[in-house]
Structure formats: C-alpha cells, structure tokens
Amino acid sequence: MDIQEIRNKAKRLLESGEVKVVVGYERGSTESKSTPAFIESPDDVDRLIWDATCVNNLAAYAIQEAKNGGVAIIARDCDARSIVMLVQEHQLDKDAVRVIEVPDETQWADDPALPESLEERRAFWAKEFEKCTRCYACRQACPGCFCNTCFIDRIVPRWAAKRAGASDAWMFHVTRAMHQAGRCGDCRECSRVCPVGIPVHLLAREIETFVGELFDYKAGMDMDADPVLGTFTPEDPDPNEHGG
Amino acid sequence: MDKIVTKDNMAAWLRSLREKYEMIGPVKRPDGAPEFRDIDMMPPGIIPGGIEVALDNAAWLMPPKDYLLPPTETLFTYDEKDQAEPLKVPLAGDKPRLLLGLRACDARAIRVLDHVYLDGAFADPYYAARRKGMVMVGNVCDEARWSCFCTSVGEPVEWLKDLDAVITDIGAGFVVTANTPVGESLLDSSYLSDPSDQQMNLKVAAWDKLAAIPKRPFADKLAKDFLAWDDPIWEKYARKCLGCGICSYLCPSCSCFDIQDERVAGQIERFRCRDTCQTCYFTLMPSHNPRPEKKMRMRQRLSHKFKYQPEQFDIIGCTGCGRCVELCPVNLDIRQALAEVTPNE
Ligand code: SF4
Ligand code: SF4
Ligand code: SF4
Ligand code: SF4
Ligand code: SF4
C-alpha cells in the first residue's frame, strides 16, 4: 500500500478534528526497526512509514489514546479485529476510534508444528513453559489482555506463584488463553515480544478454533455482536461433551 | 600473563576446565539465539561449535545474571506443623562455577550487582555464596552491535580487568590473558603456549578497537547531574512503553526482586523472583502507589541507572550492553531518550 495514501488519510482525520491523534509507525532507532508514532499535528504525517518493519499491533494503544479524544489507528486485518473486539467488550467507545486499514503484508514466521497426541503436546508445552521468565510481556502487548488487574497479579486469591518453571507458568498461560476466547485476532504479538521465543499465540489460536467450532463465532468481526465470553444461553454447547 | 591457544585446541582446553568447574557459557539455542547455560548439559559434540559461534558478541541475549540471581530463588522453608524446627536456608554452590563468554559490559554489570548485593552492612548471603567461588572468563567484542554503547557509559577495556581471564580472537587463534591468580591457574595447561610478539600486537589491536567504538552524543552529559524530575521526555517516551518489563528482566545489571510466600503440602516457602520498576505494582504500598503513571516508571528506570546508582555507588548502573535497546518490542531506545533530555544546569 502506498504510504502517501496513509499519510493523506491521517492528515484528513487530524485536520477535520475527527481525531486528536493518529497512531502509526515511524522509523525506529535503526533501519531494521519501526517504532510506534503518535501523530498529533497534520504537519507531522510525513513521519509515518509503512514497510516490512511495521509489525506491532497498535491496538494495544487504543484504550490509552481514546481517553484523550478521538484516535485513529493504522491496522492490519488482525489488528482491526482487536479494535472491534475492544468496542464489543465496552473498553472503547466506537465513536472515539477510527481504523486506517492497511493490507497484511507481514512476513509471519513459521509456526512450530504441534504434536498430535495430547501426551506429546503436554510435553511440548512443558518444555516451552520451562523457559518462561514470567515477565508477562506477552500479556502487556496483547490488546485482548485489557484487565486493570490481571488474575495472575492478584495476591488474594493467588492463582499461581510468580515462579520461573513450568508448573506455575502453566497456570498463567492456560488461563490467559482461556480469557482470550473470542478476543484473539491472531496478531501474534504475544509470541513476537516474548524474549525467550515461546509460541504462546498457538494457545489462544487453539481456543479460537474451539470457539469457532462450538459457537460459530470469530473474534472482532462484528461491532454489534455480543462477545462470546460475555453471553450465556441454556442452549450453549458444553465443551466437555465435545471431548474438549 | 598472556598465552595463546590454537583454534583446534580451544575445545580441548575448555573441556579440560570442566573437570574442575561447572561451566556456564554461551551456546546456541535450537532457534538460533545464543544464551548462557550450563555447558555440562550439552551433548559433547556441541561444545566446539557452540563456543566458537558464541565467542563473538552474538552471545548477548540472556544476561549472565541468571547465575548470580536465579529467576526464582528459595530464601527459606519451614514445616508448618513443626515450627520448632529451624528454618532451612539453602545456600548455593558446591562445585565452583566458571562463567565463560562474558563481554566487557557483562563484567561491568556484575560489578554493579556486586555493589547492590555486597556493599555496606547487609551483604546478601545468597548472592555472596554464588559470587564467592565464581570464575569469570570473558572475551573481547570483535564488532559493536547496532545497539551497543559501552564506550558512552565507561571504558570497556578497563572493565575487562574485572575478569579472571580474557580471550581475544586474533584470527589464527586466541590470546588468553590472565588478570588474577585464578585466571593464571586456568592458563596452566599443555594446550596453551607462549604468544609471539606479533600475536601480542594483534591482541593489543583488538583491545584498542574495542576502546575506539564511537561515543554517542549523550556521553558528555553523563558526568553531570543531568536528569530532571519534570523533564517532558518522560511522558513522551513512556507513551509508547507497554510496561512489559523486558528491559529490566533481561538487563544484566537490573537487580530488583519481589518476595513471595507459598504453602505447598505443609511446607512454607519464602522465595524471591524478578521484579521490575516498569509495572504498576513496583513497590506498591497498601495505601499508596509511588509511581502510578508510566512516565514516573520510565523516569525511575533511567534515573536509577544514571543518577541514583552513580550517587550511591559512584558507578553508572547501565553498561551500554544494548539488550534493552534491541529487545524492547516497541523500539523504545534509551539512547534517544538520553540524547533528548535537557541537562540540568
Ligand atoms: S513474554 Fe514469554 S517469557 Fe514473558 S511471560 Fe510471556 S511467555 Fe513468558
Ligand atoms: S495473538 Fe496473542 S497478542 Fe494477539 S490477540 Fe491473540 S493472544 Fe493477544
Ligand atoms: S539499561 Fe539496557 S543497555 Fe543498559 S545495561 Fe541494562 S539492558 Fe544494557
Ligand atoms: S529500579 Fe528499575 S532500573 Fe533499577 S534495577 Fe530495579 S528494575 Fe532495574
Ligand atoms: S522493554 Fe520497552 S515496552 Fe517493555 S517496559 Fe521496557 S521500555 Fe517499555
């Protein structure tokens, strides 16, 4: 997509006063990196770039920036789903946010192949979780992790100790994935930011697959749809009866 | 004292050191990223290749501090029922450890940690136990990474002198320089021989090259009390910070920890784990959060390293290793922030 087109859109939105800030990408501190840019003046739109270094899901800034007035966010499809999801979850006023759509040209890294059997999968994740530093960067980068206080940071009740090693990390990751049901747009930020290379997005993706199969629901597709975690009907399928 | 070891003999020499020491060194992970880990656990074949790869400064990712300050460390345990029983306090270490592949900045980071954990009246017994027998062997960086800025915060060639021994790659082999008696004992091996004058010249050239890494524009400010409490840059930079803590978890000189208690099967355990000033919970009090906003946490991180630690220990708490620069998921580059701060007059 032509960068000039993005800049023009940003300029119009700022000039018309429709938004106070455009969140996009600008050149980072080295050629191979971009960094999030907060453009507040139409004169600054030329700072915006769009190339292969633009990988962050900027929806992570939506709540913060919407507090100061309207915000426009440059978003790929998966990022736009995060924004729609935040509106559905009543975290974001839909009138306070605009999306500047960009095509998804991300060079996604190959996903590791998950083993078929449950036993082997358990071993796969145990090995991955063993590396986890419990920095929670995956959570911080995830637009779906918008809680003011994450369950894992609670002292009362305490769900797991903040201990390195697989067993407590297990509690964190599995619960976080469950909480992404109907929220994960597969932006893979959680895995991208992880300093030790754990492919955590695969957990949320697995949950999304169940959500799709059981509830015919896909995260962040329809602003007016009720979020799947927030609704219950007596007809809801019971995952336990689906061998889940 | 200087010796030379050929590339062919390097692996054999290192292997011979394993008889006496538990060796921790930079090895390549299956995903390609090097990290510090226990070389004993590696299959034998991986040692020569792994070490050769990692003796350039690609071995930067995981900081060596994990071996002084494990991510989680039990402080004591006691039996819930039998409280008359004394506390069990596990202190580290039987076989002495040898840390291999430390860069000048890694050595400096351990100096910073030493100040925090050993200075003054309250030396930390857990850290002290690990630190005591630890042997540090480093190497001279061949190239600065894009993110490095060691010469802007100090003199890396001086920092190398904190190491017991320093390995310099001179192409045809490695010059190994001992700085301490322990270092000399490592060099007492038939795999090493005396270097020629020409080989020594190559070593000196490599050290000079390290010293000549250009300084960043902010370097001149560091001598002054240059960080202002209300500088608008705190807010500007904090705006894009995700509060993910990577910059402190992987910083080789960040030293903060949290303490938690846990009860498992009648055993009460108190342990410490990593903490970072980049989360809203850092030093949170029941009635008060000293740093409720991101800009305050950003200010804390830079001020701690560039103001408070120089005041407290007469040392800059940042070694310029570049890990935070390279690993920050939003490219929040502290070098840009430092360049932008308005110096206090
Ligand atoms: S980012 Fe990685 S290391 Fe940090 S908590 Fe998440 S999975 Fe663990
Ligand atoms: S891929 Fe990861 S970061 Fe992105 S929405 Fe899903 S869980 Fe969150
Ligand atoms: S602050 Fe950054 S550059 Fe300085 S020592 Fe820590 S990780 Fe390295
Ligand atoms: S206060 Fe922050 S910058 Fe200082 S050591 Fe602790 S985590 Fe690192
Ligand atoms: S690594 Fe970057 S985003 Fe994460 S806490 Fe540090 S400065 Fe903020």
Side-chain angles (χ1 to χ4, degrees):
Chain A
M1 181 167 177
D2 184 23
I3 179 62
Q4 213 46 52
E5 220 176 295
I6 299 174
R7 289 175 182 159
N8 290 343
K9 275 190 192 157
K11 197 174 190 140
R12 276 201 300 279
L13 285 162
L14 288 165
E15 270 170 355
S16 67
E18 225 177 302
V19 302
K20 281 234 167 65
V21 58
V22 174
V23 187
Y25 310 88
E26 64 185 323
R27 180 59 56 228
S29 62
T30 186
E31 272 305 300
S32 60
K33 300 229 182 224
S34 69
T35 187
F38 301 87
I39 307 289
E40 289 172 305
S41 153
D43 301 336
D44 288 339
V45 296
D46 287 344
R47 274 165 49 198
L48 291 170
I49 61 165
W50 175 246
D51 60 29
T53 67
C54 304
V55 287
N56 306 57
N57 181 348
L58 301 175
Y61 299 108
I63 297 173
Q64 165 187 309
E65 295 301 322
K67 284 195 180 121
N68 308 320
V71 53
I73 296 175
I74 293 178
R76 300 162 297 192
D77 183 51
C78 49
D79 311 333
R81 286 174 63 194
S82 294
I83 296 168
V84 171
M85 173 276 297
L86 288 170
V87 171
Q88 288 178 271
E89 298 277 357
H90 299 285
Q91 301 301 311
L92 203 55
D93 177 0
K94 79 167 168 221
D95 298 324
V97 60
R98 298 281 173 276
V99 171
I100 301 179
E101 280 175 60
V102 285
D104 183 353
E105 291 154 356
T106 317
Q107 306 277 327
W108 296 110
D110 286 343
D111 291 323
L114 284 180
E116 275 301 317
S117 80
L118 275 183
E119 201 88 321
E120 284 171 317
R121 272 190 195 211
R122 196 184 291 273
F124 172 88
W125 285 111
K127 195 154 166 263
E128 291 296 323
F129 293 158
E130 201 57 56
K131 299 189 288 193
C132 177
T133 65
R134 302 291 289 280
C135 63
Y136 304 140
C138 46
R139 172 193 75 191
Q140 292 305 108
C142 173
C145 282
F146 51 70
C147 293
N148 287 334
T149 305
C150 176
F151 78 98
I152 200 72
D153 287 329
R154 283 197 180 277
I155 306 291
V156 183
R158 195 172 69 184
W159 297 93
K162 194 181 174 188
R163 190 199 292 278
S167 74
D168 288 289
W170 199 284
M171 183 71 190
F172 166 61
H173 285 294
V174 171
T175 310
R176 194 182 89 80
M178 290 299 289
H179 290 181
Q180 290 312 309
R183 291 178 179 157
C184 172
D186 202 27
C187 68
R188 290 162 250 187
E189 275 293 82
C190 44
S191 297
R192 184 183 70 84
V193 302
C194 174
V196 295
I198 304 176
V200 265
H201 71 285
L202 294 179
L203 294 167
R205 188 187 282 169
E206 184 82 356
I207 300 288
E208 281 315 294
T209 313
F210 287 139
V211 167
E213 283 168 9
L214 297 175
F215 300 94
D216 190 23
Y217 184 94
K218 199 172 167 194
M221 300 304 281
D222 176 1
M223 270 197 195
D224 300 315
D226 291 327
V228 76
L229 265 187
T231 45
F232 171 76
T233 67
E235 291 76 41
D236 273 358
D238 182 348
N240 289 324
E241 288 168 13
H242 284 71
Chain B
M1 185 216 261
D2 292 281
K3 292 274 178 182
I4 180 103
V5 55
T6 62
K7 295 225 153 158
D8 287 344
N9 278 343
M10 186 66 172
W13 174 54
L14 292 175
R15 226 179 258 130
S16 72
L17 298 178
R18 280 170 66 199
E19 279 159 27
K20 185 148 174 226
Y21 298 101
E22 183 192 0
M23 291 256 275
I24 310 294
V27 290
K28 262 197 163 186
R29 292 202 309 226
D31 64 7
E35 65 177 341
F36 278 93
R37 58 178 303 171
D38 189 341
I39 297 182
D40 288 356
M41 284 162 43
M42 292 282 127
I46 207 162
I47 292 170
I51 284 170
E52 242 175 290
V53 171
L55 278 189
D56 57 25
N57 75 349
W60 61 285
L61 181 68
M62 298 310 273
K65 76 174 174 189
D66 282 18
Y67 292 92
L68 286 162
L69 296 166
T72 315
E73 169 154 53
T74 302
L75 299 179
F76 58 76
T77 53
Y78 68 90
D79 196 285
E80 194 179 10
K81 295 229 177 56
D82 191 1
Q83 295 188 10
E85 272 288 300
L87 297 178
K88 291 185 246 352
V89 180
L91 284 184
D94 28 25
K95 201 176 179 186
R97 268 188 173 149
L98 188 153
L99 250 60
L100 182 74
L102 301 177
R103 302 180 298 165
C105 54
D106 293 327
R108 186 61 166 182
I110 291 174
R111 173 74 81 100
V112 175
L113 294 177
D114 284 352
H115 280 300
V116 173
Y117 283 92
L118 301 175
D119 272 15
F122 299 102
D124 182 279
Y126 306 89
Y127 182 92
R130 289 204 164 80
R131 182 70 178 85
K132 201 166 149 244
M134 181 170 278
V135 181
M136 304 199 292
V137 178
N139 40 273
V140 183
C141 296
D142 48 353
E143 291 290 338
R145 296 176 73 93
W146 67 269
S147 53
C148 294
F149 56 104
C150 52
T151 49
S152 306
V153 293
E155 293 177 58
V157 168
E158 288 301 309
W159 302 347
L160 287 174
K161 295 176 186 163
D162 275 355
L163 296 165
D164 293 297
V166 185
I167 298 173
T168 312
D169 189 342
I170 56 160
F174 299 97
V175 173
V176 192
T177 309
N179 292 323
T180 64
V182 176
E184 285 179 18
S185 75
L186 304 177
L187 269 57
D188 184 14
S189 157
S190 57
Y191 294 114
L192 285 76
S193 53
D194 290 326
S196 67
D197 285 352
Q198 192 214 359
Q199 285 167 330
M200 284 304 286
N201 289 342
L202 288 170
K203 176 203 128 171
V204 172
W207 289 44
D208 287 348
K209 189 177 164 203
L210 176 65
I213 293 171
K215 287 189 184 188
R216 310 279 303 188
F218 62 80
D220 294 340
K221 292 186 194 169
L222 299 186
K224 301 185 203 114
D225 173 19
F226 75 115
L227 296 176
W229 189 251
D230 52 3
D231 198 307
I233 71 135
W234 304 133
E235 186 146 23
K236 178 182 163 187
Y237 280 86
R239 191 173 188 180
K240 64 175 144 188
C241 173
L242 297 169
C244 73
I246 286 176
C247 52
S248 11
Y249 275 69
L250 297 194
C251 172
S253 58
C254 267
S255 51
C256 286
F257 58 82
D258 188 19
I259 291 180
Q260 299 196 349
D261 293 341
E262 199 180 26
R263 187 175 66 187
V264 178
Q267 286 281 309
I268 311 287
E269 182 190 349
R270 174 160 294 178
F271 65 94
R272 64 179 172 197
C273 53
R274 294 267 145 85
D275 200 0
T276 162
C277 59
Q278 297 309 294
T279 81
C280 58
Y281 302 105
F282 187 69
T283 63
L284 179 67
M285 299 288 134
S287 61
H288 175 64
N289 188 341
R291 292 173 208 86
E293 292 172 45
K294 279 202 286 181
K295 66 173 179 195
M296 301 164 182
R297 307 198 275 268
M298 171 86 194
R299 175 175 63 208
Q300 165 65 19
R301 181 171 155 239
L302 266 67
S303 301
H304 189 212
K305 295 193 171 299
F306 294 97
K307 184 177 164 72
Y308 309 150
Q309 288 193 321
E311 282 168 7
Q312 202 180 356
F313 304 123
D314 197 20
I315 192 170
I316 295 176
C318 166
T319 73
C321 76
R323 286 182 179 88
C324 62
V325 171
E326 212 149 328
L327 290 167
C328 171
V330 297
N331 185 237
L332 195 165
D333 188 329
I334 58 167
R335 299 171 305 175
Q336 290 178 322
L338 290 169
E340 230 177 292
V341 282
T342 337
N344 264 343
E345 283 315 326

